[in-house]
Amino acid sequence: MIITLTEYLLLSPEIFILTMACLILVVEAFVGDRYRQASYVLAQLTLLVAAFISGSLIDNEALVMLGGMYVHDPMAALLKTSVFLVTIGAFAYARSYMTAQGGLRGEYYVLGLFAVLGMQVMISSHSLLTVYLGLELLSLSLYAMVAFDRDSPTASEAAMKYFVLGALASGMLLYGMSMLYGATGSLDIATIADVISAQGERSLVLVFGLCFIVVGLAFKFGAVPFHMWVPDVYHGAPTAVTLFIGSAPKIAAFAMAMRLLAESMGGLLVDWQGMLMILAVLSLAIGNVVAIAQTNMKRMLAYSTISHVGFLMLGILSGTDSGYSASMFYAITYALMAIGGFGVIILLSRSGEEADQLDDFRGLNDRSPWFALMMLILMFSMAGVPPTVGFYAKLAVLKAVIDVDMVWLALVAVFFSIIGAFYYIRIIKLMYFDEPVTDAPLKINTDLQIAVSTNSLLVLGLGLFPGALLALCNGVLA
Amino acid sequence: MDIERIIFWVFAVILVFAAGRVITVRNPVHAAMHLVLAFFTCAGLWLLLEAEFLAITLVLVYVGAVMVLFLFVVMMLDINMSPLREGFVRYLPLGVIIALVVFSEMFAVVGVKYFGSDVIAIPERHGADYSNVRELGSVLYTDYVYPFEIASVILLVAIIAAIALTMRKRPGTKSQNVAQQVAVKSTDRVRVVKMMSEEKQGSSVRD
């Protein structure tokens, strides 16, 4: 197999990230404590360059290469670019967390970069083999990151739960893939799609395999009823890790769903549409209702993630290009909101203790009006209040669902979003109308101020001018 | 019944028996030994499938290295397995029922009709000059180079994760620093204390 220059160019984001991750590992081992920031600066530069490279590849036409294992298409380039940019944000928050709390070390960035590599592999996969390998690379890095804080029992418990349930989900996914392979005789996504469309009637064994693949996907997404790990892991992991898990991997999970369901099993749309419908409605219901009962901010955001996953699935199950692009828009903007939400928790935390209780947000307006405003924007965006970007994401998904004549589904989604708005607005009420518990001034370093402000203003800005990103999402799928 | 089929059945029965014993015996060392037996018979079955390289790798890597390490861990940690197995008997009936239900449901839906030898052709036999290793080698670094590289990165991540999670500098541990030991000077070891000579006490009394 000869790899041409064009193919090397298209592969360059992956090659670059892998090389730099290994380099940073060596740098981290040798410079040690003297230049603590070296690995951080290198990691951020790496991600910036990679984002620039893959951003410039969006216009290249689609190409399947490496013996059908790897595909470059505009969707992959856009999703990779957004993964890089979201991870830059996540690393910026993580550094502030590390200086304030300790506990995390340079390995965070190295494992984070390997997780990013895993996401890239998933996004660009064109074979069931590479989907699985990318997923394992991502998951393995995340398991280790959750367990970083070894002295904390909740973190160890979270890591153990995540690991065991993740292994179970991988097993389900693999079993489904083996059925698919048995029925079609191929691991290649395009070949599977051809075989399925060539079969006149739906083969039972294909649907059987599909069930397991959907279960595996739902586990990785954290959709109800496969969501039990989400609150525990989000709560137990160090906040810097939680915000990474809750953001960029959702984009990769969306790509995996696209590759597995839409691209390889598009012929079975009728079957997986019904399955995703159940998952979406349950996720919206359980996520939004149970979040109300939470007093811990991280658990609340975990249930909010579950409800957002429900929305993501609505877009995918519509089965149209506009639905897919709406879902993609939702995944990217949700990742942006999620790092912001967890970022504010880091911002409020004092050294040695995390500010992850709802009470910590009481009277934030008196302590820092600017950051209360930033949190207000993020919360409104998650609730879907215009003019923030969350509104347009929900609008696009609902429009796609109504276009395929599933008005009742849209009504259910709106109904539960209104219930969900309660707990987002409760935070705003706590910040603006309650007395602060403590008068201690916020000690925030400049980096974190810049990161939170940029993040929130980006959420607002994308809400005011959503056209460009929406057009980009539509364009890459056209 | 030809000899190949007899070998298959003998190996299959041993494999199922050994795998069952792995989770039912009380002694963890015995469980590990049964796992060795299971791997070994599994390798035998793979030989029947003409996957010689994989069979030998299974014996070398799993039986030779992984299980020996595993036995070391079992013996060094001295884990008392009985608390871990407390719920086993209590949950066994429920587990068996669920397993049977799931199995029969799956069998009813899929059965064997999709994967029987009438649907998927039996692969042809290869001659004695056929090299399994060469076939693997010719695709592993060409057609499958991308998955191969990813797999190697996964192993690298496993190493990094294992070291990051277990390396810690604890105060009070007694460890050797070879560089310091080599660089030591005689003056660091022996301290010569100058003092005046003293008269032997009580000597005049005895004389």
Side-chain angles (χ1 to χ4, degrees), chain A residues 9 118 129 154 187 213 257 340 394 409 441 454:
Chain A
L9 181 70
L129 190 61
T154 51
L187 289 173
I213 287 185
K394 284 191 164 61
L409 210 53
T454 318

Side-chain angles (χ1 to χ4, degrees), chain A residues 394-460:
Chain A
K394 284 191 164 61
L395 183 72
V397 168
L398 291 176
K399 185 170 173 301
V401 173
I402 292 172
D403 281 348
V404 290
D405 293 332
M406 287 189 279
V407 181
W408 69 272
L409 210 53
L411 283 177
V412 169
V414 170
F415 174 71
F416 283 113
S417 302
I418 293 169
I419 294 180
F422 167 77
Y423 60 85
Y424 296 122
I425 293 173
R426 181 173 60 185
I427 304 268
I428 295 167
K429 178 235 167 202
L430 286 174
M431 290 191 305
Y432 280 90
F433 301 107
D434 282 21
E435 290 300 311
V437 184
T438 160
D439 292 334
L442 286 171
K443 273 186 276 179
I444 313 165
N445 57 24
T446 327
D447 292 11
L448 194 55
Q449 288 181 346
I450 294 171
V452 171
S453 309
T454 318
N455 196 328
S456 304
L457 293 178
L458 207 58
V459 167
L460 185 65

Side-chain angles (χ1 to χ4, degrees), chain A residues 127-128 177-178 180-193 195:
Chain A
S127 155
L128 300 185
M177 285 177 177
S178 74
L180 214 57
Y181 178 66
T184 61
S186 175
L187 289 173
D188 186 79
I189 282 176
T191 318
I192 292 173
V195 172

